[in-house]
Amino acid sequence: MNGGKRSTNGRIRMNVLQNKYTKEIKDVLAKYPEDQKRAAVMPLLYIAQRGQGFVSKHDMQDIAELCEITSTDVASIVGFYTLYHEKPEGKIRIQVCNDLPCALRGADEFLEALCDSLDIGVGETTPDGLVTIEAVMCLAACDRAPMFQAQTGKGIHYHEHQTAESALQVIDEYRAREEKK
Ligand code: FES
């Protein structure tokens, strides 16, 4: 059977991710030595997230099994990187850096004004389900704050030297593209 493993309670646990992306996962794992499977975590997370926009707890367990590490290890990687998400949210993910250097350049006020304009809080999604606003750590554009990174189905884009007004304009453009789909 493909992707099944006996768990501690004696039941066969299906590795759903492996069953779904058998060839792709096999190709990824083949790139790493047998004793270095943990190095495949990032590409496997990418595969899992690509399908549904986030990495579920079940996916994390599947990846942990494939990489022979614990699901806590996988969860900590998902939690660390802003590009990975643990739950489904808006199709347009606006990630504002409000780490200290950006905060000194007005990132907190920018974030607050942006959230107020969209009538949501940090970490929330607009009622149409399209836009999620998040606060994140350094995105390596500290001297160009206020700034945000937008993640959409079309990739990741940086927007620097922003005001709430300019950011809303950018968000409207992303929204229009999503609504056309
Ligand atoms: S602290 Fe915000 S980009 Fe570096």
Side-chain angles (χ1 to χ4, degrees):
M1 187 183 299
N2 215 0
K5 189 176 178 185
R6 196 167 293 282
S7 67
T8 45
N9 63 9
R11 291 206 192 110
I12 299 286
R13 183 182 172 275
M14 292 305 298
N15 193 309
V16 177
L17 200 64
Q18 190 177 23
N19 283 349
K20 196 165 170 192
Y21 302 105
T22 309
K23 162 99 175 63
E24 236 178 308
I25 288 179
K26 194 173 163 210
D27 291 347
V28 166
L29 291 174
K31 290 183 186 155
Y32 302 94
E34 261 306 294
D35 61 345
Q36 297 292 323
K37 284 188 184 169
R38 60 183 307 129
V41 171
M42 302 288 264
L44 294 181
L45 283 171
Y46 172 77
I47 291 172
Q49 181 161 288
R50 192 189 54 199
Q52 56 195 2
F54 71 104
V55 186
S56 69
K57 292 270 181 257
H58 200 287
D59 291 336
M60 289 187 214
Q61 255 181 300
D62 287 349
I63 291 171
E65 199 177 286
L66 291 164
C67 296
E68 296 174 358
I69 55 178
T70 67
S71 48
T72 309
D73 290 334
V74 179
S76 65
I77 292 169
V78 172
F80 181 77
Y81 289 99
T82 56
L83 298 181
Y84 295 124
H85 315 297
E86 293 174 59
K87 49 186 178 155
E89 277 161 1
K91 290 183 179 164
I92 304 160
R93 204 176 275 264
I94 302 295
Q95 299 183 313
V96 177
C97 172
N98 68 342
D99 221 346
L100 185 60
C102 283
L104 293 173
R105 292 177 61 91
D108 284 329
E109 293 77 9
F110 165 71
L111 179 59
E112 194 182 335
L114 188 56
C115 285
D116 284 352
S117 306
L118 292 168
D119 205 17
I120 56 173
V122 177
E124 292 180 357
T125 302
T126 51
D128 60 4
L130 282 183
V131 184
T132 299
I133 304 283
E134 293 174 332
V136 298
M137 307 285 277
C138 187
L139 292 171
C142 323
D143 58 330
R144 283 152 275 156
M147 62 81 61
F148 66 89
Q149 159 178 286
Q151 288 186 44
T152 69
K154 295 262 183 227
I156 298 167
H157 302 279
Y158 268 35
H159 298 275
E160 299 160 341
H161 300 295
Q162 291 291 302
T163 62
E165 292 70 33
S166 62
L168 283 172
Q169 211 172 327
V170 171
I171 291 170
D172 279 348
E173 285 163 21
Y174 283 128
R175 248 198 176 123
R177 271 182 237 164
E178 283 299 329
E179 283 164 357
K180 263 194 219 154
K181 282 183 186 170

